[in-house]
Amino acid sequence: RRKRSFPCFVPEAKPNLAHSTVALVEPDSEERDPWDLPEIKDTGVPWSALDTRGKALRVLVSVLKLILLLGLLYMFICSLDILSSAFQLAGGKTAGEIFQDSSVLSNPLAGLVIGVLVTLLVQSSSTSSSIVVSMVSAVLTVQMAVPIIMGTNIGTSVTNTLVAMTQAGDRSTFRRAFAGATVHDFFNWLSVLVLLPLEAATGYLYILTKLIIDSFHIQSGEAPDLLNVITDPLTESIIQLDESVIRDIAIGIPEAKNKSFIKKWCQTYTNTTLKNMTVSGPENCTAPSLCWVDGNTTITLKNMSETYYIKKCQHLFVDVNLTDLAIGLILLALSLLVLCSCLVLIVKLLNSMLKGQVALVIKKIINTDFPFPFGWVTGYIAILVGAGMTFIVQSSSVFTSAITPLVGIGVISIERAYPLSLGSNIGTTTTAILAAMASPGDKLANALQIALVHLLFNLSGIVLWYPIPFTRFPIRLAKGLGNITASYRWFAAVYIIACFFVLPLFVFSLSLAGWQVLVGVGVPLIVVLVFIVVVNVLQKRRPDFLPAALRSWDFLPLWAHSLAPWDKVVGVCTAKCCCCCKCCQGTNEEHEEQKSVLNGTKVHKAVYDNPAMSVEKEVENEIKIELNILKKTQL
C-alpha cells in the first residue's frame, strides 16, 4: 500500500469582532518631522460663546496669569543673580588665583581655558571681564587678554544649557529645548576654533581695536543701571559681595587672600593725611625733600590712609559666622531650587496661556519671515531684538535662559532662536562697553579696548556663521545633538561635563606641560577628529568615494560607534541605584501573585477588558515560554 502523508492543518486565526473599551493604539497617519513646531489646539470655549460674566472672568484670569508670569520671571532673574554670587563665594578665590600666573596666560590656549573655567566658577562674563580689565592695568597686556575674553564668551553659555536640563521630562520638548540652548554653545566653540588661530597668527582684533581707541577721543562716563534697579532691592537684601577682593587676589595683593567676599560695611570714609614715619635709612624716604635725620633716627613724611566704618550693610549674611564656602553652598542650593521651580512654573503657565489664537499670533509674529524680496532681513532684525533685550536685562545668560523654555514648548523655532542668541552676544558686549566707559582715567583705554575686542570677536563670528545659509553649522549641529539627547537623555549631562569641564582641563594641563607636549598630543587628536568628521560626511553624501571597508563603521566594536551599549550600562547603574525600591515593590507583587494563585484566581491586566484579547495574550506568552525552553535545551 502507498502511504499517504496528510498535511498538518493549523486553524487560521479569525479576526475577532469583539470590541475593547480601551483605545490601545492611536493611529498615526503620517510621520511628523520632530523639529516641526507642535500644533497648538484651542481646547477652551470660544470667546463668542461666552456670556458677559464668562468674558469678564476670562479677562481677570488672563491678567492674573500675566502678573504671576512677570513675578516668576522676576524671581527667575533674581535667582540667576544669587546663583552668580554663590559661585563667586564658593570659587571666587580659586578664580583669582588662577589668573595670578601671568607666564601661563602668555599661552593663548591656556588663556582661553582660564577664561572658560573662571566664567564657569563665577557664572558671570561681566565679572570675569572686569577681572581681566583690572589685570591688564597691572600685570597683563591686551594681547594676552584677548584669548581670555574668548573663553569668557564660551563659559557664559553653560547657564542656558543647564536650564534646558530641567525640561528632560518630555522627549520632544527636551529635544527642542536642548538644541535651542546648545546652538549658542556651538556658535561660540566654532568661532573660537577659527578666530583664535587667526588672532594668534595676525593679531587683527588687537590691531583694529587699537586703531579705534587711538582714533577717537573718548571720555569716561557712567554705565546705566536698567534691570538692576528692579532686582537689586531683593538680591542685596539676601547677599552683597565685595567684588574688589577677587580683583585684588588676581593682581597679587597678599592681604586680599584673607579677606571675606561678604560685604559688611556699605558706607565707609577714608581719610588720607601726611604723617611722620620712622624708616631704616634715607634710601627708604618718600622724597629727599621730605626726609631728615635726627641723631640715629631717619624720619620721613608718608600718606597714611585711615578708614572709618559708618554704616553696616543690611543683608541676611552680614553677621553670620560661617565661611565663604559654606554660605556659597547654601546660596547655591537655594538659588538652584528657586531657579528650577520658577522655570517649571513658567513653562506650565506659558502652556496654559499660549493657547488657540493667542499662540497662533505669537508664533506667526516670531517665526514668520518677511515677503519674498526681503525674507533675508528677518534674521537680522531678530539679531537686533536679541541685542536690545540683552541690553535691557544686562545679561546674555538671563536672556538665553528665558528663551530656552519657549523653544522647548514650540513657540520659537530653532532657526529663530539662533539669531536671537547671536544678538544676545552683541548685547552683552554693549553693556561691557558702557561699563568700561565708567572706568577711571588710567584704566579707560585698556578697559574700552578689551570691551571692543569682545564686540569684534562676536561680530566676526556672526560674519562667519550666519549670512550664508549653508554656513549655519551651529543649527545643524544643535539639531543632531538634540536628536541624540532625546534618545539618550543621560548624554546631555555627558556633553556638559565633557565640553565645559573635562576638555578645558585637559587642554589646560597639556598647555602647562609645554608646547612640545601640546603639539605632540593635540595634533594627532585633531587629525583623527577631522578624519572621522570627513568620513561621516562622505558616508552620508558620497559613499562611493570611500573604500568598501569605510562605508560604515560596522567593522568597529558596537560600543565604539553606537550609544546603545552605553545606554544599557547607564540603565544597569540606574537600576542598581534604585534596586532597593524595586526589590521591595517586586516582592510585594510576587506575594500578591502567589496569594491569588493559592486562592485559585487568575490575574488579568485591567487594560485587557475584552476576554478574547486576554486569551490571545495568554497564548502568546505560552509560545514565548516554549521557545525559551527549546532554546535552552538544545544539544
Side-chain angles (χ1 to χ4, degrees):
R1 290 184 179 179
R2 292 173 62 190
K3 291 183 180 179
R4 292 186 181 179
S5 59
F6 295 94
C8 181
F9 291 97
V10 179
E12 188 179 353
K14 295 181 180 180
N16 199 332
L17 299 178
H19 296 282
S20 172
T21 58
V22 178
L24 296 176
V25 180
E26 293 181 1
D28 190 9
S29 56
E30 293 182 0
E31 289 186 4
R32 280 184 58 121
D33 183 2
W35 296 104
D36 286 345
L37 295 180
E39 295 179 6
I40 302 171
K41 298 176 182 177
D42 190 4
T43 55
V45 181
W47 178 263
S48 57
L50 293 172
D51 57 2
T52 306
R53 183 183 175 186
K55 288 179 179 178
L57 187 62
R58 179 173 289 187
V59 169
L60 181 62
V61 170
S62 300
V63 171
L64 290 175
K65 283 183 178 180
L66 182 62
I67 294 170
L68 182 60
L69 179 65
L70 292 174
L72 288 172
L73 280 172
Y74 177 76
M75 293 299 296
F76 175 73
I77 293 168
C78 290
S79 64
L80 280 175
D81 196 354
I82 298 295
L83 183 70
S84 174
S85 300
F87 273 109
Q88 289 183 53
L89 283 168
K93 289 187 178 178
T94 307
E97 289 169 0
I98 287 173
F99 270 126
Q100 272 188 348
D101 195 351
S102 57
S103 61
V104 174
L105 294 175
S106 60
N107 183 342
L109 276 176
L112 173 76
V113 172
I114 285 172
V116 174
L117 293 175
V118 169
T119 310
L120 286 173
L121 285 172
V122 300
Q123 278 297 292
S124 170
S125 59
S126 302
T127 303
S128 47
S129 299
S130 65
I131 299 170
V132 174
V133 170
S134 302
M135 291 187 65
V136 165
S137 304
V139 294
L140 281 184
T141 62
V142 175
Q143 293 97 319
M144 292 165 66
V146 172
I148 303 174
I149 291 297
M150 293 183 182
T152 62
N153 219 47
I154 293 172
T156 192
S157 62
V158 73
T159 310
N160 57 325
T161 311
L162 291 172
V163 167
M165 293 285 288
T166 61
Q167 301 196 32
D170 181 70
R171 194 179 297 274
S172 58
T173 302
F174 186 50
R175 176 190 281 112
R176 288 190 295 268
F178 202 76
T182 53
V183 74
H184 194 199
D185 303 349
F186 283 120
F187 169 78
N188 289 331
W189 280 109
L190 289 172
S191 299
V192 165
L193 284 175
V194 175
L195 296 177
L196 181 62
L198 184 64
E199 173 64 20
T202 63
Y204 85 102
L205 287 173
Y206 171 75
I207 294 168
L208 282 176
T209 52
K210 184 69 175 169
L211 286 172
I212 293 170
I213 295 296
D214 293 341
S215 301
F216 296 98
H217 180 66
I218 301 168
Q219 297 179 350
S220 61
E222 292 185 0
D225 286 332
L226 299 175
L227 193 71
N228 291 344
V229 175
I230 307 170
T231 58
D232 280 351
L234 178 60
T235 55
E236 289 184 356
S237 66
I238 297 171
I239 189 72
Q240 291 184 46
L241 300 184
D242 186 0
E243 295 186 354
S244 63
V245 175
I246 191 171
R247 290 197 289 271
D248 292 344
I249 293 172
I251 292 168
I253 298 173
E255 295 84 6
K257 291 184 179 180
N258 299 322
K259 287 184 180 178
S260 173
F261 274 100
I262 297 168
K263 199 172 186 180
K264 294 190 180 293
W265 298 94
C266 287
Q267 191 175 350
T268 59
Y269 172 70
T270 303
N271 185 28
T272 304
T273 56
L274 273 173
K275 285 189 177 181
N276 293 338
M277 281 195 67
T278 304
V279 291
S280 57
E283 64 276 4
N284 295 319
C285 292
T286 53
S289 59
L290 301 176
C291 186
W292 62 93
V293 178
D294 184 9
N296 294 327
T297 307
T298 305
I299 302 171
T300 186
L301 284 174
K302 275 191 177 181
N303 283 326
M304 300 295 293
S305 297
E306 193 172 356
T307 303
Y308 299 95
Y309 299 103
I310 300 169
K311 185 181 177 184
K312 214 169 191 181
C313 296
Q314 302 293 323
H315 57 86
L316 292 178
F317 295 94
V318 68
D319 291 321
V320 175
N321 292 322
L322 291 173
T323 62
D324 287 358
L325 179 61
I327 295 173
L329 293 176
I330 292 169
L331 288 175
L332 182 65
L334 292 175
S335 60
L336 283 174
L337 179 64
V338 174
L339 181 76
C340 296
S341 304
C342 287
L343 193 65
V344 170
L345 291 172
I346 285 169
V347 171
K348 289 187 178 296
L349 201 58
L350 286 172
N351 278 324
S352 68
M353 291 175 68
L354 299 177
K355 287 182 179 178
Q357 295 300 319
V358 178
L360 290 174
V361 169
I362 293 173
K363 283 175 67 177
K364 201 168 184 181
I365 290 172
I366 294 175
N367 299 305
T368 305
D369 293 335
F370 285 117
F372 165 64
F374 306 104
W376 58 273
V377 181
T378 314
Y380 295 97
I381 291 177
I383 291 175
L384 293 176
V385 169
M389 293 299 295
T390 307
F391 178 74
I392 291 171
V393 300
Q394 292 193 319
S395 171
S396 60
S397 300
V398 170
F399 177 70
T400 52
S401 300
I403 66 171
T404 296
L406 295 176
V407 176
I409 64 176
V411 174
I412 301 176
S413 64
I414 306 292
E415 289 75 14
R416 188 63 74 240
Y418 179 51
L420 288 171
S421 299
L422 301 187
S424 74
N425 275 0
I426 301 296
T428 194
T429 57
T430 56
T431 307
I433 289 171
L434 290 172
M437 297 282 286
S439 301
D442 56 337
K443 296 181 181 179
L444 177 62
N446 289 332
L448 198 54
Q449 187 172 359
I450 289 168
L452 288 174
V453 163
H454 201 178
L455 174 64
L456 285 179
F457 169 72
N458 283 310
L459 289 174
S460 303
I462 291 173
V463 170
L464 282 173
W465 310 118
Y466 189 75
I468 305 170
F470 173 73
T471 60
R472 294 172 189 173
F473 296 114
I475 295 177
R476 291 198 284 274
L477 291 171
K479 283 186 174 181
L481 184 61
N483 287 329
I484 293 171
T485 51
S487 302
Y488 309 102
R489 299 182 198 186
W490 52 267
F491 190 75
V494 172
Y495 163 79
I496 291 173
I497 294 168
C499 283
F500 293 102
F501 294 97
V502 176
L503 180 62
L505 288 172
F506 177 68
V507 174
F508 184 62
S509 59
L510 288 180
S511 61
L512 286 178
W515 278 104
Q516 294 82 2
V517 177
L518 182 63
V519 172
V521 177
V523 170
L525 287 175
I526 292 171
V527 169
V528 170
L529 185 64
V530 170
F531 173 75
I532 292 170
V533 170
V534 170
V535 170
N536 274 326
V537 171
L538 290 176
Q539 282 176 353
K540 289 181 181 178
R541 303 289 175 88
R542 299 302 298 267
D544 51 315
F545 284 9
L546 293 170
L550 286 177
R551 288 177 185 174
S552 72
W553 298 108
D554 293 339
F555 64 92
L556 294 173
L558 187 62
W559 59 266
H561 65 92
S562 173
L563 290 175
W566 298 103
D567 189 50
K568 290 179 182 177
V569 172
V570 173
V572 169
C573 294
T574 310
K576 283 185 178 180
C577 292
C578 306
C579 65
C580 296
C581 299
K582 288 188 176 180
C583 284
C584 295
Q585 188 180 355
T587 307
N588 291 335
E589 286 178 0
E590 284 175 13
H591 183 65
E592 286 177 8
E593 239 176 80
Q594 288 174 2
K595 208 172 173 185
S596 62
V597 169
L598 287 172
N599 291 335
T601 59
K602 288 185 180 180
V603 181
H604 295 293
K605 288 186 180 178
V607 73
Y608 296 110
D609 54 345
N610 185 348
M613 295 184 72
S614 39
V615 168
E616 288 175 7
K617 187 73 178 175
E618 285 179 9
V619 171
E620 228 178 286
N621 290 335
E622 287 176 8
I623 291 170
K624 283 182 183 177
I625 293 167
E626 288 176 4
L627 287 172
N628 285 332
I629 292 170
L630 286 172
K631 190 175 180 182
K632 289 177 181 177
T633 55
Q634 284 178 353
L635 292 176

